[in-house]
Amino acid sequence: MAEPFKISNTRLFQIVDQLKREGNLPRDFIAIIDNTGAMKVAGRATQDQVENLVYTVQIEEDGFKV
C-alpha cells in the first residue's frame, strides 16, 4: 500500500491551480487529501494528467519547490 500524502489541502489547491494555468489540468478538475491521506480527484482528466499531479505532489513532499 502506498504512503499517505502529507501535503496540506491548501498547498494541493495551489499546485492544482498552477497546473491548470499551465494547461496541464482541465479547468473543472479538483483534488483534495482526505483524513486518511488519500488523494481524491474529480473532473475530466486523463490518467497522464492525474499521474503528473501525483508526481508533482510527491516532489513537493520530498522538499523540492515546484
Side-chain angles (χ1 to χ4, degrees):
M1 189 164 149
E3 282 188 41
F5 289 101
K6 299 173 201 76
I7 194 167
S8 71
N9 276 312
T10 301
R11 183 63 186 135
L12 178 61
F13 177 79
Q14 292 169 344
I15 292 170
V16 168
D17 189 54
Q18 176 183 340
L19 291 172
K20 285 180 182 180
R21 282 186 272 120
E22 295 170 355
N24 295 321
L25 281 174
R27 296 194 51 74
D28 68 345
F29 185 87
I30 60 170
I32 63 164
I33 304 295
D34 70 12
N35 59 357
T36 68
M39 185 184 298
K40 306 291 184 175
V41 299
R44 290 177 295 200
T46 66
Q47 182 173 344
D48 286 344
Q49 289 170 320
V50 174
E51 287 175 0
N52 183 48
L53 171 62
V54 170
Y55 180 70
T56 303
V57 169
Q58 288 172 336
I59 289 172
E60 174 87 10
E61 286 187 337
D62 288 343
F64 298 98
K65 262 312 195 202
V66 292

